[in-house]
Amino acid sequence: MADQTGHPGQWTGCAVIFLQSLCPAVDLLSLYKDREQGKFIVFKVIKLTLTDSAGGVGGYEILKVHEADPFLGVEVKFEDAAACQQFLESYSSGAVRESLCQHAGRLLALTQEITVETQLKASTHILDLCLDKLELCLQHIHLSKPERLRDEEIERLEQLLQSQALGPIAQDEGPVPSNCFKFQNKVFEDRMLTAADVQSFSNGVGRHWKLVGRALGKSCRALKSPAIDNLAYEYEREGLYEQAYQLLRRFIQAEGRAAKLSQLVRALEDCKLTSLAENILDIQPRE
């Protein structure tokens, strides 16, 4: 393989990774098709997994994510034989599947472990059947040339992921994207609330948790009166942290994937708790 790896700029190949969640609560195909936020999270899971398994962000690019019911197909162009070989070694060892499960569990804020079924193909060759011959797999990928340029949707998702990596973006003019929200004249990507958000809120809100609960209750039926007073009574002995924790837990249970970071930040703003919102968003307060 020395002749292949010696000129990475001239080496290309293409493979398609097929993904299917075996967890009844998570349908990767439906998430990617039906919801903008779900689409971005699934894409981020795939991107992070490829970064883990191919040894970095270079050497490959995602061309298209498409429906292959019941699988989600991910077409990948490899531009470096070394990166492709590292990916194959990771796939063969099960590290790709493990990385997929870890990233999906974290980004989808799952309470149960997720299992993902995978299949790897290059043209008509099912590479899962010859993973013990990595050089042959590499050759199949090399001979399978990309048939398309990168999809416009993938280009958009890549740009969104890069903007997220750079942190909040100042936005003085123009509309805020539908999957983002504005706080202190900066634009943040909206997402589902995570366990870390719940912990930060519960640690910092103190006796103001009821105020935030009533603000969230404007759009959440589960927090309408007398639900908040009932929470206060039920968890009085456990203290303020537990009361706040149970408040946000009930909000997430009621709203499901619609329980967004933007809603919590907006409620904190309404209650004049901007410093707590800054803490959750990891913004350093101004001196």
Side-chain angles (χ1 to χ4, degrees):
M1 278 186 292
D3 59 329
Q4 293 176 336
T5 57
H7 302 284
Q10 300 175 16
W11 194 98
T12 60
C14 192
V16 181
I17 312 163
F18 295 94
L19 311 173
Q20 181 187 17
S21 167
L22 300 181
C23 176
V26 180
D27 186 334
L28 296 176
L29 180 58
S30 294
L31 270 175
Y32 192 82
K33 288 197 307 181
D34 296 343
R35 294 176 181 269
E36 181 63 23
Q37 181 66 9
K39 184 187 295 291
F40 177 72
I41 291 176
V42 172
F43 177 78
K44 188 173 181 179
V45 168
I46 295 167
K47 184 75 174 182
L48 290 173
T49 299
L50 284 170
T51 300
D52 290 345
S53 57
V57 296
Y60 72 90
E61 67 171 332
I62 300 171
L63 297 180
K64 185 176 180 62
V65 178
H66 59 88
E67 179 180 352
D69 197 14
F71 290 90
L72 188 67
V74 183
E75 186 173 343
V76 182
K77 174 186 176 183
F78 290 97
E79 301 168 319
D80 178 21
C84 186
Q85 181 177 346
Q86 184 164 343
F87 168 79
L88 283 170
E89 291 170 352
S90 297
Y91 188 89
S92 177
S93 69
V96 168
R97 187 179 294 133
E98 182 179 344
S99 183
L100 273 167
C101 294
Q102 288 178 349
H103 289 305
R106 178 175 59 86
L107 293 174
L108 292 169
L110 301 177
T111 57
Q112 65 185 87
E113 188 174 339
I114 182 175
T115 304
V116 177
E117 180 182 352
T118 62
Q119 186 181 81
L120 184 64
K121 294 184 70 175
S123 186
T124 59
H125 301 282
I126 301 175
L127 302 186
D128 301 77
L129 302 178
C130 54
L131 289 174
D132 57 332
K133 302 173 183 176
L134 291 183
E135 290 191 24
L136 178 61
C137 291
L138 190 67
Q139 183 180 1
H140 285 321
I141 292 175
H142 180 48
L143 293 175
S144 177
K145 299 301 181 184
E147 297 179 354
R148 58 169 63 87
L149 298 175
R150 184 156 67 175
D151 192 82
E152 289 183 1
E153 181 177 62
I154 299 302
E155 187 75 38
R156 180 181 63 81
L157 291 169
E158 286 276 10
Q159 291 174 356
L160 184 58
L161 187 59
Q162 289 176 16
S163 68
Q164 183 192 63
L166 293 172
I169 305 170
Q171 180 154 331
D172 297 323
E173 56 184 7
V176 177
S178 59
N179 59 336
C180 298
F181 67 95
K182 201 168 185 178
F183 175 72
Q184 294 183 341
N185 293 320
K186 294 179 180 178
V187 175
F188 294 83
E189 180 212 352
D190 205 1
R191 56 170 172 75
M192 292 181 294
L193 289 170
T194 66
D197 298 329
V198 175
Q199 186 174 10
S200 295
F201 172 79
S202 304
N203 277 322
V205 72
R207 60 186 177 85
H208 302 296
W209 70 270
K210 283 188 178 182
L211 291 175
V212 180
R214 293 189 181 97
L216 290 171
K218 294 176 182 177
S219 60
C220 177
R221 295 183 62 182
L223 297 181
K224 299 292 185 184
S225 182
I228 294 174
D229 290 333
N230 290 342
L231 280 173
Y233 176 78
E234 186 175 355
Y235 296 98
E236 182 179 11
R237 291 185 178 181
E238 283 81 358
L240 293 174
Y241 174 91
E242 188 64 24
Q243 290 171 327
Y245 177 88
Q246 293 297 333
L247 169 77
L248 218 50
R249 183 169 174 268
R250 180 164 298 186
F251 173 68
I252 293 171
Q253 286 179 335
E255 298 296 301
R257 298 190 183 282
K260 295 296 185 67
L261 178 63
S262 59
Q263 293 172 280
L264 178 58
V265 170
R266 192 175 301 116
L268 291 171
E269 277 191 292
D270 291 345
C271 299
K272 305 294 190 293
L273 297 172
T274 54
S275 60
L276 181 54
E278 290 172 345
N279 182 48
I280 291 173
L281 293 170
D282 198 23
I283 299 174
Q284 296 299 322
R286 296 177 181 176
E287 299 293 339

